[in-house]
Amino acid sequence: MPYWRMFCHLIWTTQHREPLLVGNVARVVEASLRKTCEEMRVLVHAIYLMPDHVHMAVSIPPSLSVAQVLSRVKGSSSHLVNHAESASNEAFAWQPEYGAVSFGEKQLPDVVAYIEHQPERHASRQLWDRVERISNEL
């Protein structure tokens, strides 16, 4: 078996940053993300769903690109929500963009802590600016 250590912090938002990731929708999305990652052999180190965006710390096998992983997890989860929540009048969707930041194994505990403490960080505005760009400005 090949040896690989590739760490990535992935961030993406709901369409128009709508606060849709709550209740049953959040449960369906998280289950879908975990299952899709498992199917792709992507190791999930941490995951947190805020009402309008997702953070994941993952290790991606070298046979996959970040774009492939995000396309599949976003597509699978939105498809599942739209079918599970078929009574809803509006379709669930993700923004097409995403953020991906690579980091080393030594930073893994810091990234996991950052992800796991999203509510507190957002409440105190102690965000990592390069990771959590709120506006569309560069």
Side-chain angles (χ1 to χ4, degrees):
M1 175 156 60
Y3 174 82
W4 51 272
R5 291 286 186 267
M6 299 172 77
F7 299 94
C8 229
H9 183 168
L10 307 174
I11 310 98
W12 67 96
T13 66
T14 58
Q15 186 74 29
H16 307 296
R17 291 195 76 109
E18 292 291 328
L20 304 173
L21 299 173
V22 295
N24 192 51
V25 171
R27 285 186 289 279
V28 169
V29 167
E30 183 170 351
S32 175
L33 297 175
R34 289 184 184 281
K35 182 176 186 224
T36 303
C37 284
E38 182 180 330
E39 290 170 355
M40 298 179 79
R41 296 185 50 227
V42 172
L43 302 176
V44 177
H45 302 287
I47 185 170
Y48 202 95
L49 280 68
M50 291 296 289
D52 65 349
H53 67 282
V54 175
H55 284 263
M56 289 179 67
V58 296
S59 290
I60 299 173
S63 60
L64 298 172
S65 69
V66 172
Q68 288 172 310
V69 171
L70 278 161
S71 175
R72 184 140 170 227
V73 298
K74 288 169 68 177
S76 296
S77 60
S78 63
H79 178 80
L80 193 57
V81 168
N82 284 323
H83 284 77
E85 300 293 318
S86 59
S88 174
N89 292 336
E90 291 187 42
F92 177 87
W94 299 109
Q95 291 278 64
E97 298 86 12
Y98 59 84
V101 179
S102 63
F103 61 92
E105 192 166 12
K106 288 183 181 179
Q107 288 76 39
L108 182 59
D110 294 331
V111 174
V112 167
Y114 182 81
I115 290 171
E116 290 176 346
H117 294 95
Q118 279 295 290
E120 299 93 335
R121 286 191 161 280
H122 278 268
S124 65
R125 307 291 278 161
Q126 294 180 337
L127 304 174
W128 291 347
D129 292 338
R130 296 199 179 240
V131 174
E132 300 225 36
R133 190 171 45 127
I134 301 299
S135 73
N136 288 330
E137 297 174 17
L138 295 173

